[in-house]
Amino acid sequence: MRKNIKGLGLLLAIACISGVFYQGTGAYLTDERKVVNHLDFAGTQGMQAVLTEPSWEPDKGLLVLPGTRLLKDPQVTNTSALDMDELVALKVEFVYAGDSGERKKGERLTEEDMKLVSRVFDIDYNADDAKKSDWIRFKGESGEDVRQCFYYKKVLKRQLPEKGETTIPLFTQVKVRKEVNNLMAERIRQMGGVEIRVSGRVLQQMEGEKSFGLNSPKEAYQAGLFQELEL
């Protein structure tokens, strides 16, 4: 019997970076959001997952100087009530942290503004490490894109009554580049600051359902089951 495919969207922005810049070579970054986002399928016995960022300290303002590293490690844990294995994909978006002129809080950065952000911050995406690559960036995208999508190449096991598996972090740190100067910081302040918003989608693995792309994360990606993330 074929089972219905159910997707799960992480609709809340979690563990984001909010940038409030001032004159000088420093930048004050703060984030008041929760770093735990529980995700449930419809119904009381559905699939569940949780997106967390254990190393990030959301209630602590950080004075960031060029060369400083901020620990950030978005990861997903399989917390299904039933013994369901999962296929996981995440999306990273760079959005405005506040209103500024025609730009509204929560809107994606323009390509021009994203170029500046890429010159200020360096993120150690797992997908860019040839020795690791537990996360696979969607074809045609790069680390300088305002929206980047990734799928986790391993099936996330549940194995009740044991604890469900957790993905390797999508990235572990955000580093302020050493070449950041007053002018660059001022430009980001004028744009209203920047947030990194993480969201995603989780599917139930169904072995033997290869025609539907639910046997492996790669097949799910190739079948377009994570396509909604690209919107």
Side-chain angles (χ1 to χ4, degrees):
M1 178 183 296
R2 294 178 180 174
K3 299 180 180 180
N4 292 331
I5 300 174
K6 291 186 177 181
L8 178 60
L10 287 70
L11 301 180
L12 299 179
I14 74 156
C16 301
I17 296 178
S18 300
V20 183
F21 289 78
Y22 56 81
Q23 292 289 344
T25 57
Y28 187 71
L29 303 183
T30 183
D31 181 9
E32 298 179 353
R33 290 177 174 79
K34 295 180 180 179
V35 297
V36 178
N37 190 5
H38 291 277
L39 310 166
D40 298 319
F41 273 83
T44 59
Q45 292 296 322
M47 185 185 302
Q48 300 172 352
V50 61
L51 173 60
T52 60
E53 203 165 43
S55 296
W56 177 246
E57 299 181 57
D59 299 323
K60 184 178 180 181
L62 298 175
L63 180 62
V64 180
L65 299 175
T68 300
R69 297 181 299 170
L70 305 180
L71 298 180
K72 293 179 63 62
D73 50 356
Q75 52 198 265
V76 177
T77 300
N78 185 342
T79 59
S80 289
L82 302 179
D83 196 6
M84 297 178 180
D85 297 334
E86 299 175 345
L87 314 178
V88 179
L90 289 178
K91 173 170 63 176
V92 174
E93 297 174 280
F94 293 80
V95 302
Y96 294 102
D99 297 338
S100 178
E102 298 180 356
R103 310 302 179 192
K104 300 297 182 181
K105 179 178 180 179
E107 290 182 353
R108 287 181 185 169
L109 304 186
T110 63
E111 290 185 8
E112 181 179 0
D113 287 344
M114 184 60 197
K115 289 180 180 178
L116 173 61
V117 168
S118 296
R119 293 175 57 200
V120 172
F121 295 110
D122 181 31
I123 301 176
D124 66 337
Y125 292 105
N126 175 278
D128 296 333
D129 189 333
K131 296 181 180 180
K132 298 178 181 178
S133 300
D134 297 283
W135 289 94
I136 308 298
R137 183 182 273 111
F138 284 19
K139 185 177 181 180
E141 298 182 356
S142 77
E144 296 183 355
D145 291 337
V146 70
R147 188 225 66 222
Q148 304 167 44
C149 299
F150 309 79
Y151 70 85
Y152 194 61
K153 72 177 184 181
K154 301 175 183 178
V155 176
L156 208 59
K157 300 293 184 180
R158 185 61 178 97
Q159 298 174 331
L160 289 174
E162 302 297 326
K163 181 181 178 181
E165 292 183 338
T166 299
T167 65
I168 297 295
L170 181 63
F171 52 86
T172 64
Q173 65 180 18
V174 179
K175 183 177 180 180
V176 181
R177 298 182 186 275
K178 293 181 178 180
E179 58 269 28
V180 172
N181 56 39
N182 295 351
L183 179 60
M184 296 163 70
E186 174 63 16
R187 285 182 58 191
I188 290 183
R189 186 196 65 77
Q190 290 176 355
M191 74 169 69
V194 146
E195 290 182 356
I196 299 176
R197 185 165 62 196
V198 180
S199 59
R201 187 171 177 81
V202 177
L203 303 172
Q204 179 185 352
Q205 184 199 28
M206 298 181 187
E207 293 185 87
E209 295 283 352
K210 292 186 177 182
S211 60
F212 293 94
L214 290 172
N215 191 61
S216 72
K218 183 177 181 179
E219 290 172 356
Y221 166 67
Q222 293 175 335
L225 300 183
F226 295 131
Q227 189 171 11
E228 291 181 5
L229 293 178
E230 299 178 306
L231 299 177

